[in-house]
Amino acid sequence: MPLLVCLILMLAYFFSGRDFSAESLQNYAPDNLFIAALFLIFLYVVKSLTIFFPIIVLNVLGGYLFNPVLALVVNFIGVLVELALPYWIGRASGAKFADKLCEKYPKIGEMLGGENGSNFFISYFLRAISCLPNDAVSMIFGARKIPFFTCLIASFLGTLPGVVAATLLGSTISDPSSPLFWIALVCTIAIALSSLLIYRIWKKKKEKRAD
């Protein structure tokens, strides 16, 4: 049943033909702050079931809708939901489901298959590099029965810098002349580039160990 829901939402996402940018989603947000916060958290739930929907759009949208402090609180809650829900879907689906996801996303399978470190480090590392689909990673963690709170805390810490940078970017995106906007933009780009660099360094070290 959870996988069927995921499939339906993925198909709806692909065939809706709508623009899922922060600007377009802002038009659907209610004016009431509390309801708007629930609306954004609901979008995180939808994102966790679609896999392909870019989470940075929701981080930026949070910065759009609320003041920076409230935006960070709502985005943190949303990210925790987005990390937890796919985990339990994977947990309910079993080990065979994890194997299929590893085949579909070979980079994830390569990392998990070759690492013998702690669950905390692996969970943190796969989030910190931020070049892998979060929802697929969470499903694999759940299917492999990595302890939930270990996975959740480490994953949250790994995604934290990117969430903060994207939220601040959303808070200042309407004022490109703001120094904070450029700081947030540079940080967002730097996190993406450093993630790619860390992954390449890790891969080279693994190849050397294999030789």
Side-chain angles (χ1 to χ4, degrees):
M1 184 60 71
L3 296 178
L4 180 60
V5 173
C6 290
L7 178 61
I8 292 172
L9 287 174
M10 281 189 285
L11 291 174
Y13 169 70
F14 278 115
F15 292 106
S16 65
R18 294 182 180 179
D19 176 21
F20 283 91
S21 64
E23 293 89 343
S24 64
L25 290 173
Q26 186 187 23
N27 296 328
Y28 297 99
D31 294 330
N32 182 283
L33 284 180
F34 178 74
I35 299 178
L38 293 179
F39 167 75
L40 182 56
I41 292 172
F42 170 74
L43 290 180
Y44 275 101
V45 172
V46 173
K47 183 267 173 292
S48 71
L49 297 174
T50 58
I51 297 180
F52 304 103
F53 190 83
I55 193 172
I56 192 173
V57 171
L58 301 184
N59 299 157
V60 171
L61 179 61
Y64 248 6
L65 296 176
F66 311 107
N67 66 67
V69 174
L70 182 56
L72 286 172
V73 171
V74 176
N75 276 341
F76 288 163
I77 295 172
V79 167
L80 287 172
V81 170
E82 188 265 340
L83 292 172
L85 187 55
Y87 172 93
W88 289 109
I89 291 174
R91 187 74 175 255
S93 302
K96 290 184 178 179
F97 178 64
D99 293 337
K100 289 181 180 179
L101 279 177
C102 286
E103 290 176 5
K104 186 173 182 179
Y105 301 100
K107 287 184 179 179
I108 302 176
E110 178 187 4
M111 291 181 176
L112 288 177
E115 289 296 324
N116 296 315
S118 70
N119 289 326
F120 188 92
F121 172 76
I122 294 171
S123 300
Y124 174 84
F125 177 69
L126 288 181
R127 306 299 186 175
I129 61 173
S130 70
C131 58
L132 299 170
N134 276 347
D135 307 311
V137 173
S138 294
M139 288 179 184
I140 292 173
F141 285 162
R144 293 197 171 190
K145 296 185 178 180
I146 291 177
F148 173 66
F149 285 106
T150 298
C151 173
L152 184 66
I153 294 171
S155 296
F156 180 74
L157 292 176
T159 59
L160 189 59
V163 174
V164 172
T167 302
L168 294 179
L169 181 64
S171 296
T172 58
I173 201 168
S174 59
D175 183 16
S177 62
S178 167
L180 185 58
F181 169 81
W182 290 104
I183 292 173
L185 181 61
V186 169
C187 287
T188 302
I189 296 173
I191 289 169
L193 293 177
S194 62
S195 298
L196 181 60
L197 179 62
I198 291 170
Y199 170 72
R200 290 190 178 277
I201 292 173
W202 172 87
K203 191 171 183 178
K204 285 184 178 180
K205 286 184 176 180
K206 184 181 177 182
E207 290 173 350
K208 286 182 179 180
R209 288 199 301 266
D211 294 338

